[in-house]
Amino acid sequence: VTLRGFFRMTLADGEERPSVESVLEKGPADEAGLKAGDVVLKVNDRTVVDVADVVRLAGKSAAADKVTLTVK
């Protein structure tokens, strides 16, 4: 799933959590320091278990809102 409208990164469902597959250079995800291989644990302090959770939670934010991702 490509979330270009929000983060400019591509996510995939991992074994237990969604993981970052790629990050577009100079996009919001890149500027926030996200890297391919990072595992997304939370979006705005809400636990996520798959890409659908990330899309759903991020989609609740307006375009100009900041979204906080917790990754490992």
Side-chain angles (χ1 to χ4, degrees):
V1 173
T2 303
L3 300 175
R4 294 189 187 280
F6 294 105
F7 308 119
R8 298 200 185 274
M9 68 178 174
T10 304
L11 296 174
D13 286 327
E15 289 182 27
E16 294 183 29
R17 304 286 178 108
S19 61
V20 177
E21 285 192 324
S22 64
V23 177
L24 187 64
E25 188 176 335
K26 297 188 181 179
D30 181 44
E31 291 175 2
L34 291 168
K35 306 241 183 287
D38 285 346
V39 176
V40 182
L41 304 174
K42 295 182 179 185
V43 175
N44 291 336
D45 291 325
R46 308 253 346 240
T47 299
V48 296
V49 296
D50 57 23
V51 173
D53 285 346
V54 177
V55 172
R56 179 177 51 79
L57 292 169
K60 291 181 178 183
S61 300
D65 290 348
K66 288 188 178 186
V67 175
T68 301
L69 300 179
T70 303
V71 299
K72 70 171 183 171

